[in-house]
Amino acid sequence: MRLTVIGTGYLGATHAACMAELGHEVVGVDVDPDKIAALRAGQVPFHEPGLPELIRKHTATGRLRFTTDHTEAGAFGEVHFVCVGTPQRKDSEGADLTYVDAAFAAIAEHAAEDSLLVGKSTVPVGTAERLAGTLGVEVAWNPEFLREGFAVEDTLRPDRLVIGVRSAHAETILRKVYEPVLEAGTPLVTADFPTAELVKTAANAFLATKISFINAMAELCEAAGGDVGVLAQAIGHDDRIGKKFLRAGVGFGGGCLPKDIRAFAHRADELGVSLAFLREVDAINMRRRDKVVELARELCGGAVLGARIAVLGAAFKPDSDDIRDSPALNVAARLRLDGADVTVYDPEALDNARKAFPLLGYALSAEEALRGADLVLHLTEWPQFREIDPERAASLVARPLIVDGRGALDGDRWSAAGWHFRALGRPAPVEERPLQGL
Ligand SMILES: NC(=O)C1=CN([C@@H]2O[C@H](COP(=O)(O)OP(=O)(O)OC[C@H]3O[C@@H](n4cnc5c(N)ncnc54)[C@H](O)[C@@H]3O)[C@@H](O)[C@H]2O)C=CC1
Ligand SMILES: O=C(O)[C@H]1O[C@H](OP(=O)(O)OP(=O)(O)OC[C@H]2O[C@@H](n3ccc(=O)[nH]c3=O)[C@H](O)[C@@H]2O)[C@H](O)[C@@H](O)[C@@H]1O
């Protein structure tokens, strides 16, 4: 089939390459000429494992092309997937639909009458219906559930496909687009517009709630002297709860969960339904960042002014160079504002971090960041940070003090190498715990 993908950011570039992999002829469209030039040259302007190979493969086979021209794309595609951004509005918690509206309008103007315009962006419920009422072309909604870092795998082998359609014709077309995925046994959920839109925001709200739940338990463990790692493992043995998304730490960030829960609560308010608990989910998440800042102050003797702090991690999660709402950089920037001399290292996100936070110091390796540090903060759990040798690290720093903000390091190993090791939601070393019963 001839498909277009409007918006070639994290979602769109992945979707375009994966649709070519499924055998379709695909044109990716973006308003950003630099992005399109890079993609044409087979370069992906962000870090996503497996994606550059796929893009190069299909630009070479000729199945995948990129353009900035909506007219050309409109005339080409039988199905148009809209994958543009839906950031938080500047003036409220709601989603900014400017890009979605513009993209649908631009493609509808040039699309063939019998083509299908499919929204993939995450939108407030009601958007598909509104667009369907204003454009002269059929609309469908097909929300996306991919995770950054696993985007290719999640697109080619998703847990499920969800389509919001208004006609059997639209369903038939989308079944044809995803035929190889469906033949592999992927469940397909066919729904009306509001349900399809709500499935997406509900899924992200549930995931965010799960993370904040375990982080609230981390707060309790800190107050009561418990260990949230053991707690998560124990409750996770219950299949009804499950082990996934129970990693306590500095909390969730990224271009999706934080803005999506805010937009969801905001939209629910507009509909007269309270999702106030999502505001608490957001607040718990933000308190974890505060907690790391407080711990840093405490470990630096009350104030971080003049302290040299090494921050391991800048991306909002490992295997990504995405720094949107990154907890690591938020903490680093706040400590810098408090007068600390902060040096950040990340295997992939340094360029993005430098542009967004030019006042922070940056190192080209973990060793360079650690050299002379008074305190080390581990805030993004890249696998290579787990491989740091604590003894070698102790020989580099000024003071062997480390906070594991991701619950991913082996505390016993670091303590054995002479480090004062602290982790969120876990007991402080024995000599630090207040004496009980006195
Ligand atoms: N990043 C992710 O992992 C996932 C994102 N989503 C959702 O997908 C949507 C896109 O997210 P990202 O890809 O992360 O955003 P992004 O910001 O990386 O990409 C959006 C792209 O759209 C382009 N664009 C804006 N207006 C355009 C127009 N009129 N025509 C053509 N291109 C246009 C921008 O230049 C940009 O390259 C959001 O709604 C997000 O919530 C959903 C699932 C996963
Ligand atoms: O709508 C989206 O854009 C996507 O948002 C998330 O995907 P993503 O943001 O790529 O990353 P996640 O793996 O969900 O992690 C999000 C954040 O939660 C944090 N997290 C995750 C899991 C956990 O147990 N604890 C925890 O703090 C991560 O460090 C990260 O900062 C969802 O997992 C995807 O299904 C969804 O498609």
Side-chain angles (χ1 to χ4, degrees):
M1 295 176 85
R2 292 189 316 277
L3 314 182
T4 76
V5 176
I6 322 300
T8 57
Y10 287 89
L11 168 59
T14 309
H15 192 66
C18 290
M19 291 303 104
E21 178 72 4
L22 294 187
H24 301 298
E25 280 181 70
V26 185
V27 171
V29 192
D30 206 288
V31 288
D32 180 343
D34 294 341
K35 209 169 257 187
I36 290 299
L39 288 165
R40 275 182 178 157
Q43 290 154 10
V44 180
F46 52 87
H47 175 76
E48 187 59 50
L51 187 56
E53 292 80 351
L54 215 52
I55 289 194
R56 283 197 281 270
K57 176 177 165 190
H58 291 298
T59 42
T61 60
R63 285 221 290 269
L64 180 58
R65 290 188 291 120
F66 294 96
T67 179
T68 51
D69 185 351
H70 288 82
T71 315
E72 178 195 337
F76 172 83
E78 298 162 78
V79 184
H80 306 278
F81 286 101
V82 175
C83 298
V84 300
T86 48
Q88 187 175 336
R89 286 173 63 100
K90 298 234 166 4
D91 58 352
S92 80
E93 288 179 309
D96 181 350
L97 294 176
T98 318
Y99 306 103
V100 167
D101 290 353
F104 268 94
I107 208 71
E109 195 185 334
H110 307 289
E113 247 174 52
D114 58 350
S115 60
L116 183 67
L117 269 57
V118 185
K120 283 195 81 64
S121 303
T122 302
V123 290
V125 58
T127 304
E129 173 140 11
R130 178 174 60 76
L131 288 167
T134 57
L135 306 168
V137 190
E138 179 156 16
V139 169
W141 219 267
N142 168 218
E144 178 57 55
F145 303 93
L146 68 81
R147 300 156 297 166
E148 288 179 25
F150 302 89
V152 171
E153 175 67 19
D154 285 351
T155 307
L156 294 175
R157 279 169 283 278
D159 289 343
R160 77 301 211 183
L161 286 167
V162 176
I163 55 172
V165 286
R166 275 207 167 152
S167 72
H169 171 69
E171 180 176 345
T172 306
I173 290 178
L174 283 168
R175 278 182 180 272
K176 209 167 143 206
V177 169
Y178 288 114
E179 197 170 77
V181 179
L182 293 171
E183 276 175 0
T186 306
L188 172 73
V189 179
T190 304
D192 52 32
F193 283 170
T195 310
E197 292 165 322
L198 283 169
V199 169
K200 172 64 199 176
T201 38
N204 273 5
F206 191 86
L207 293 171
T209 303
K210 207 169 174 193
I211 300 169
S212 278
F213 176 84
I214 202 64
N215 279 331
M217 296 306 107
E219 290 184 329
L220 261 176
C221 284
E222 282 154 14
D227 185 327
V228 74
V230 178
L231 184 150
Q233 202 186 8
I235 62 171
H237 281 303
D238 185 330
D239 278 349
R240 293 168 303 172
I241 296 173
K243 289 190 192 326
K244 292 182 181 163
F245 267 66
L246 285 181
R247 277 180 284 114
V250 67
F252 59 80
C256 292
L257 295 191
K259 62 123 173 118
D260 286 350
I261 57 168
R262 290 173 200 145
F264 197 23
H266 181 83
R267 182 67 185 131
D269 282 347
E270 286 176 349
L271 294 168
V273 177
S274 169
L275 293 184
F277 76 95
L278 286 180
R279 300 212 160 86
E280 187 55 24
V281 165
D282 198 3
I284 293 165
N285 193 50
M286 291 310 190
R287 286 208 296 271
R288 291 287 77 190
R289 302 179 187 189
D290 300 345
K291 175 68 185 180
V292 179
V293 172
E294 274 162 33
L295 252 178
R297 283 195 196 119
E298 181 195 312
L299 292 169
C300 290
V304 295
L305 184 67
R308 297 186 63 175
I309 300 181
V311 172
L312 298 180
F316 83 104
K317 65 185 256 190
D319 264 330
S320 170
D321 65 350
D322 192 347
I323 57 154
R324 290 180 287 184
D325 203 357
S326 160
L329 286 174
N330 179 270
V331 168
R334 285 163 64 181
L335 293 170
R336 171 73 181 83
L337 269 180
D338 285 353
D341 175 1
V342 181
T343 303
V344 179
Y345 170 68
D346 188 285
E348 292 292 340
L350 284 186
D351 288 348
N352 287 341
R354 260 201 205 96
K355 279 181 219 144
F357 294 88
L359 294 182
L360 293 172
Y362 293 96
L364 295 177
S365 67
E367 285 220 350
E368 190 188 326
L370 294 177
R371 205 158 280 137
D374 297 308
L375 172 65
V376 180
L377 304 177
H378 173 245
L379 300 182
T380 312
E381 70 279 31
W382 283 93
Q384 42 270 69
F385 295 153
R386 273 197 293 279
E387 279 152 29
I388 293 174
D389 173 9
E391 283 188 17
R392 165 89 186 130
S395 73
L396 295 171
V397 295
R399 294 195 304 156
L401 281 180
I402 184 164
V403 175
D404 181 8
R406 288 296 183 180
L409 301 178
D410 180 347
D412 291 342
R413 223 175 125 224
W414 285 78
S415 300
W419 285 78
H420 177 89
F421 182 91
R422 297 288 290 269
L424 296 187
R426 315 220 176 189
V430 174
E431 77 275 11
E432 293 268 324
R433 282 183 232 163
L435 292 176
Q436 305 286 320
L438 289 181

